[in-house]
Amino acid sequence: MSLRHALLGLLAHGPASGYDLTRAFDGSIGRYAWQAGHSRIYPELAKMAEAGQVVVEETGPRGRKTYALTADGHTELRRWMLHWPEQTSVRDETVLRMFLVQSLEPDDARKLLEGIAAHCAAEIENLRPVMEADDAEHTPGDPLPFGRLAGEYGLRQYEAVHGWALWSLERLGSAQPATRA
């Protein structure tokens, strides 16, 4: 994934300024999916405009630019979205840690897993009411609020990781310490 695709996806929902896009990354997108600040967003918008994927729709009195998605930008977003999973290399620090849990001493492994379980439980407790409120306000047949599908994915992911951490703790309770080479 790239910052470019994240920006294309946000602009698919309507024109926005660099400031508006930066604020989107300060919220749920930055917390759960992809972090980027204005020092990366503004240069990327300029590159996207040069590539014909966005246009400056309006320039405000103090130079504030509002960007809009072009047909080329929409085509690139669609190409990227429909070619999932498109990964040339995998670098997932969380999964790497899960592979290496058993390299820890048993007490440390339990401490890590208990922390993961507690973190996930807290995120579930925070996210579930937000999803329920979205559902209560949603009228069937209307478009879902922006981020609702991602929120559900996040909730289910936290539930899965929470269950995995508890399962792992049960297994470690009866496991022998790993031998070291």
Side-chain angles (χ1 to χ4, degrees):
M1 179 176 156
S2 71
L3 174 58
R4 179 169 298 207
H5 294 108
L7 292 169
L8 290 170
L10 289 170
L11 290 170
H13 291 276
S17 68
Y19 176 78
D20 296 330
L21 295 165
T22 300
R23 289 194 56 200
F25 283 92
D26 289 341
S28 297
I29 290 174
R31 182 173 180 200
Y32 295 110
W34 194 266
Q35 295 178 345
H38 70 277
S39 63
R40 291 186 51 224
I41 291 170
Y42 284 93
E44 190 63 31
L45 286 168
K47 291 176 191 173
M48 293 164 64
E50 190 175 302
Q53 295 174 334
V54 300
V55 293
V56 176
E57 185 177 81
E58 180 183 338
T59 302
R62 294 188 300 167
R64 179 180 170 137
K65 295 177 182 176
T66 300
Y67 295 87
L69 194 64
T70 65
D72 285 350
H74 188 268
T75 298
E76 173 55 19
L77 175 63
R78 185 175 184 278
R79 182 205 64 77
W80 180 77
M81 289 292 295
L82 295 178
H83 286 90
W84 182 87
E86 186 178 278
Q87 292 180 309
T88 55
S89 64
V90 175
R91 290 185 178 166
D92 189 324
E93 190 173 319
T94 300
V95 174
L96 179 60
R97 287 176 192 265
M98 299 311 99
F99 269 101
L100 301 176
V101 166
Q102 291 173 279
S103 66
L104 294 171
E105 294 297 324
D107 286 345
D108 286 339
R110 278 190 271 290
K111 184 177 178 181
L112 172 65
L113 291 165
E114 288 166 354
I116 291 170
H119 170 76
C120 289
E123 290 296 334
I124 291 165
E125 189 173 314
N126 290 332
L127 201 49
R128 184 172 281 130
V130 173
M131 298 298 97
E132 289 172 352
D134 277 356
D135 289 344
E137 294 173 14
H138 182 256
T139 302
D142 286 352
L144 289 170
F146 179 76
R148 177 59 181 92
L149 296 175
E152 186 67 26
Y153 175 83
L155 179 61
R156 291 176 186 222
Q157 188 173 37
Y158 282 124
E159 290 170 342
V161 173
H162 181 259
W164 170 84
L166 296 177
W167 175 88
S168 297
L169 281 165
E170 286 178 12
R171 298 313 177 276
L172 285 179
S174 61
Q176 297 296 318
T179 56
R180 298 191 184 212

